[in-house]
Amino acid sequence: MINEGLIAKKGSGQSIGGRKPDLYTSTPGNFFVLGIEMDRYQTKMAILDNTFNYAVPTKTLSLDIEKEARPIELLHSLATELIENSKIDKNKLIGIGVSMPGLVDAKQGHNHTFIVATEQLKTLKEELENTFNRPVYIQNDVKCLTSAEKHFGLAKDKNDALLLFLDWGIGLGIIMDGEIRGGRLGFSGEIGHMPFKDEGILCYCGKRGCLETVASGMALAKIVKEGIQSGQHSLLNNLPDSEIDKIEPQVIINAAKRGDQYAIKILGDIGYNVGRAVASTIQLFNPELIILAGRIAQAQEYITIPMQQAINTYCMAQIREDVVIKVSELTNNPILLGLTSNVLNQHLETTN
């Protein structure tokens, strides 16, 4: 492998007696992975190499995963353009990773929530592989983010940790005994669809009163829009109607940082609801660390303080005392980082 340029000597390791061991590292540019990160309203694409360096910077495009009529064709068109412009050796492109929200069965290649297979449609994985003519690996976005935290982030040296993804939806990544737990079909961590409010509003999953209906990015946007339309006093009243209809959580967070009491209250309510739900997961999993990530997590203390208050109220003192809550420190598209790690690992498993 050294002669082939696949690995290079990095130095020497610690010795506990005798000769120091040689350390080796993978050399950049041996393989490449096309990463496609899909969320509800936009998609990011990038090409990373085997050392997790960006061979092609991230490109972002608008794509409504629920409403796009021909998503696979659109992805193929945009990805082909990205690959052509990258000038990389296509023979070194070992696979394509796709992260998505929803109930993703990575083993069978299905997403049971978005771009769902029909009698005429093969599995999503097969459709993508036939279209791209490359191995394709699909995975839930929260699982990818949990992988990034486990290998590169705050959970790197932790055996028991939870990753709480607070974005348009809400998801939970679970690390127990040093391993990421997916469950039988890979559906573990669907905390956003736990019953939270009796006779609550209808969730897109078909049930009423799910946590996502009161504590997600979608809920935040809905609550703020209704508040502005009903005459709430807020800096957000100055937004044009077109921006209010598609309001981003960051806009609300920026208003809170400028002292907007309405924005602060709504974020506080979101944080308290999240904390009340998380109290149950703390008692179930007894983690040492909870990592917050996603658009809502950028509110920092505007949600972490009310979240901690709810945990103090609803969780047993002996279990909550040793739990540390931190906002993720990973930057530069960590979902793509975790996705690439998964693709590389699966590629090595299938070729060994």
Side-chain angles (χ1 to χ4, degrees):
M1 294 180 74
I2 296 175
N3 294 334
E4 294 172 356
L6 298 178
I7 61 173
K9 187 174 179 180
K10 187 178 181 181
S12 299
Q14 295 287 335
S15 173
I16 57 174
R19 183 171 172 267
K20 290 184 178 180
D22 292 330
L23 300 178
Y24 293 87
T25 186
S26 179
T27 54
N30 288 327
F31 328 113
F32 296 92
V33 172
L34 169 63
I36 302 175
E37 175 190 338
M38 304 183 74
D39 74 13
R40 280 191 170 87
Y41 305 114
Q42 67 178 21
T43 292
K44 296 178 182 178
M45 290 187 182
I47 297 177
L48 289 80
D49 74 2
N50 53 291
T51 58
F52 303 100
N53 291 317
Y54 281 80
V56 176
T58 304
K59 298 289 180 67
T60 303
L61 56 132
S62 295
L63 190 158
D64 191 318
I65 196 172
E66 292 183 278
K67 297 179 180 178
E68 176 59 46
R70 305 168 81 92
I72 294 176
E73 290 182 21
L74 180 59
L75 288 177
H76 181 252
S77 173
L78 296 167
T80 299
E81 181 181 352
L82 189 73
I83 294 168
E84 291 294 338
N85 292 339
S86 72
K87 308 299 183 185
I88 67 170
D89 183 349
K90 294 177 186 175
N91 294 321
K92 291 185 176 182
L93 184 65
I94 61 168
I96 296 167
V98 182
S99 73
M100 311 174 71
L103 295 174
V104 177
D105 183 342
K107 293 179 181 177
Q108 298 298 322
H110 285 290
N111 188 328
H112 295 266
T113 309
F114 301 104
I115 317 181
V116 180
T118 65
E119 291 181 1
Q120 292 76 35
L121 181 69
K122 301 174 183 177
T123 69
L124 179 58
K125 174 181 168 68
E126 288 176 316
E127 284 288 326
L128 289 167
E129 287 183 333
N130 290 341
T131 302
F132 282 95
N133 197 28
R134 284 285 191 285
V136 174
Y137 308 89
I138 70 169
Q139 184 55 278
N140 171 267
D141 50 5
V142 182
K143 302 294 190 301
C144 293
L145 189 54
T146 305
S147 179
E149 290 290 348
K150 175 62 181 170
H151 295 105
F152 309 104
L154 293 172
K156 189 172 183 179
D157 299 316
K158 306 298 181 184
N159 283 323
D160 298 282
L162 299 177
L163 182 283
L164 190 61
F165 189 48
L166 304 175
D167 211 83
W168 291 116
I170 302 177
L172 186 71
I174 303 165
I175 300 171
M176 293 180 63
D177 302 321
E179 300 291 334
I180 298 173
R181 304 299 185 185
R184 189 173 75 87
L185 298 176
F187 299 162
S188 67
E190 286 295 327
I191 188 175
H193 298 287
M194 289 172 54
F196 187 81
K197 189 174 183 180
D198 291 341
E199 303 302 320
I201 66 174
L202 184 67
C203 180
Y204 72 87
C205 74
K207 299 190 278 79
R208 288 189 175 275
C210 293
L211 178 63
E212 281 195 11
T213 66
V214 295
S216 65
M218 291 190 299
L220 177 63
K222 181 177 185 294
I223 293 167
V224 168
K225 180 180 177 181
E226 291 174 350
I228 292 172
Q229 291 174 341
S230 66
Q232 286 286 346
H233 295 291
S234 169
L235 295 173
L236 299 168
N237 289 328
N238 298 324
L239 295 173
D241 290 342
S242 59
E243 192 168 345
I244 292 174
D245 285 337
K246 297 181 179 180
I247 193 165
E248 287 273 344
Q250 190 60 53
V251 174
I252 302 163
I253 294 168
N254 291 343
K257 290 179 178 178
R258 292 172 60 192
D260 188 294
Q261 294 302 301
Y262 178 62
I264 291 171
K265 179 184 183 305
I266 296 302
L267 288 171
D269 291 344
I270 294 284
Y272 192 85
N273 287 335
V274 169
R276 183 177 172 185
V278 167
S280 297
T281 68
I282 292 173
Q283 298 197 163
L284 284 172
F285 297 109
N286 189 204
E288 56 187 305
L289 172 67
I290 297 176
I291 304 167
L292 307 183
R295 286 173 170 84
I296 307 297
Q298 301 310 307
Q300 302 273 349
E301 69 272 13
Y302 293 106
I303 63 161
T304 56
I305 292 174
M307 183 178 168
Q308 187 66 63
Q309 290 172 340
I311 290 172
N312 292 343
T313 300
Y314 293 102
C315 188
M316 294 174 65
Q318 295 90 339
I319 301 177
R320 71 168 189 257
E321 283 175 351
D322 292 330
V323 182
V324 177
I325 300 174
K326 293 185 177 181
V327 176
S328 174
E329 297 174 355
L330 291 177
T331 58
N332 200 13
N333 302 306
I335 289 180
L336 285 173
L337 194 65
L339 179 63
T340 300
S341 176
N342 288 341
V343 174
L344 289 171
N345 288 337
Q346 291 186 64
H347 172 72
L348 292 173
E349 289 176 5
T350 56
T351 54
N352 286 342

